[in-house]
Amino acid sequence: MPVSDPFALSSDLISELLTGMRLRGVQYRRIQTGPSFGLRFDARPGHAYFHYLAIGSAVLRMDDGTVHELSAGNAVLIPQGRAHDLLSGPDVVAQDIGDFEAAPLGDTVCAVDMCPSMSVIPSAILFYGCMAFDLGGMQGLGKLMPDLMLADAKGQRYPGLMPILAAMKNEICSGRIGFAGILARLADVVAAMIVRGWVECGCDNASGLVAALRDPRLARAILALHRQPGRDWTVAELAAECHTSRSVFAERFQATIGMPPLRYATELRMGLARQWLTEDRLPVEAVAQRLGYNSQAAFSRAFKRIVGLPPGASRSVVRVG
């Protein structure tokens, strides 16, 4: 691939990011409300919140007091799992979402009916999801994401989003057989599309890893690392991928990413290892072999040095949620 083709290079990197991204639904709610409502969502580290407002309007208030007006058709992703409220108006008192009675619609999907008995038609209908959010080897990118991503389905950043949101609205309002499971899957797709739109549009000019992904002199090495995480890379080999000298590459990598290339390679491996151990439930030995370690002991030492726990113990750590 020629160095003069940064767009193609960027596309490859975006594909790598989305391939490693995992969104696992922990809890979904189809919520219908009366004219006045207030919902509180507590902070959930390691998770992402997703909201789609199918009918009505709402005020989204973040934990720092920032307020956003939402209208029918808006979709919101909160990738850092920050605490927030959804309100019918700025002066309404919020109540924790877990306090409301929920009728099961499926394994992870429930219905919450907040309509007063005198309200024949709900004032607002929305779909909410809480998802375990894992970027695999690209965890560093997750830290750069904004607290809130508000998707404008009509804008250029999210082509193809409108028909999916329209399908969500149809499922929410029709109540057809199996609609709960379909809604959960559509929510995962919309969340992934919102992340992709953010990456494709330059990640809002975030620094560090994002700057490296836009720099062909570094992006080639990062792409090589993500495609072959189990290879025993040297700095010279990574520099050769970028067609630059070892010293220039190492200096630029450190200045842009904030760590040496081989440290990045190790953290990448451990990010993947954590995902394979906790999400895919692979044996420790299989993960060590996949990542190119000659022995399980060597892998365990590297894992504990980066993650802070031995591989076996990491399985038993209960995630928030």
Side-chain angles (χ1 to χ4, degrees):
M1 185 182 301
V3 176
S4 60
D5 193 4
F7 176 78
L9 190 62
S10 174
S11 296
D12 284 344
L13 285 163
I14 291 170
S15 296
E16 291 293 323
L17 164 65
L18 294 177
T19 297
M21 184 172 67
R22 307 287 182 91
L23 282 164
R24 179 176 54 84
V26 174
Q27 183 184 85
Y28 298 100
R29 296 284 186 269
R30 177 193 181 275
I31 304 170
Q32 57 182 32
T33 76
S36 178
F37 62 89
L39 302 169
R40 178 182 300 114
F41 302 86
D42 290 333
R44 301 289 292 272
H47 291 68
Y49 279 114
F50 170 80
H51 297 291
Y52 171 60
L53 188 60
I55 292 175
S57 61
V59 173
L60 173 63
R61 184 174 61 205
M62 300 298 292
D63 56 356
D64 62 359
T66 305
V67 173
H68 304 268
E69 300 284 344
L70 303 182
S71 57
N74 283 160
V76 174
L77 182 69
I78 302 175
Q80 312 286 359
R82 291 276 298 273
H84 59 284
D85 299 331
L86 275 179
L87 313 164
S88 56
D91 299 326
V92 177
V93 177
Q95 186 176 350
D96 191 278
I97 181 65
D99 293 343
F100 293 93
E101 183 177 350
L105 298 175
D107 291 340
T108 59
V109 186
C110 293
V112 176
D113 189 350
M114 300 167 55
C115 277
S117 57
M118 69 284 296
S119 297
V120 179
I121 300 176
S123 298
I125 300 179
L126 59 100
F127 187 74
Y128 134 77
C130 180
M131 310 159 182
F133 188 33
D134 196 334
L135 286 170
M138 298 286 276
Q139 287 296 347
L141 194 61
K143 298 175 183 177
L144 302 175
M145 290 182 179
D147 294 332
L148 179 142
M149 298 178 180
L150 177 58
D152 177 9
K154 299 177 182 178
Q156 295 182 353
R157 177 175 284 198
Y158 306 104
L161 188 57
M162 283 189 70
I164 298 180
L165 292 179
M168 286 194 72
K169 181 177 180 179
N170 288 336
E171 294 296 334
I172 288 173
C173 298
S174 68
R176 295 175 60 189
I177 294 174
F179 80 95
I182 292 174
L183 272 173
R185 287 167 176 79
L186 288 174
D188 292 349
V189 171
V190 172
M193 291 181 72
I194 292 174
V195 173
R196 179 178 65 181
W198 177 74
V199 175
E200 284 182 326
C201 291
C203 305
D204 297 330
N205 295 317
S207 58
L209 178 58
V210 175
L213 298 184
R214 292 198 294 263
D215 185 344
R217 289 168 291 184
L218 297 179
R220 290 180 180 280
I222 295 172
L223 183 59
L225 283 168
H226 282 264
R227 286 180 169 173
Q228 299 182 66
R231 177 173 167 177
D232 188 16
W233 289 97
T234 66
V235 176
E237 289 170 337
L238 291 171
E241 292 284 332
C242 302
H243 309 292
T244 188
S245 70
R246 182 185 183 281
S247 59
V248 169
F249 167 75
E251 181 180 351
R252 188 168 188 84
F253 197 101
Q254 173 74 48
T256 306
I257 299 292
M259 68 179 71
L262 298 187
R263 170 73 182 193
Y264 179 88
T266 302
E267 292 201 359
L268 164 65
R269 293 189 191 103
M270 295 309 109
L272 292 170
R274 184 168 52 81
Q275 186 180 80
W276 294 339
L277 288 167
T278 60
E279 299 292 340
D280 298 339
R281 312 301 294 176
L282 293 182
V284 175
E285 182 180 4
V287 173
Q289 290 177 350
R290 183 181 287 192
L291 292 174
Y293 286 88
N294 294 325
S295 69
Q296 185 173 323
F299 164 70
S300 297
R301 286 193 298 271
F303 188 91
K304 185 175 182 179
R305 186 173 68 252
I306 299 299
V307 178
L309 294 170
S314 70
R315 293 185 188 277
S316 60
V317 175
V318 179
R319 289 185 168 190
V320 177

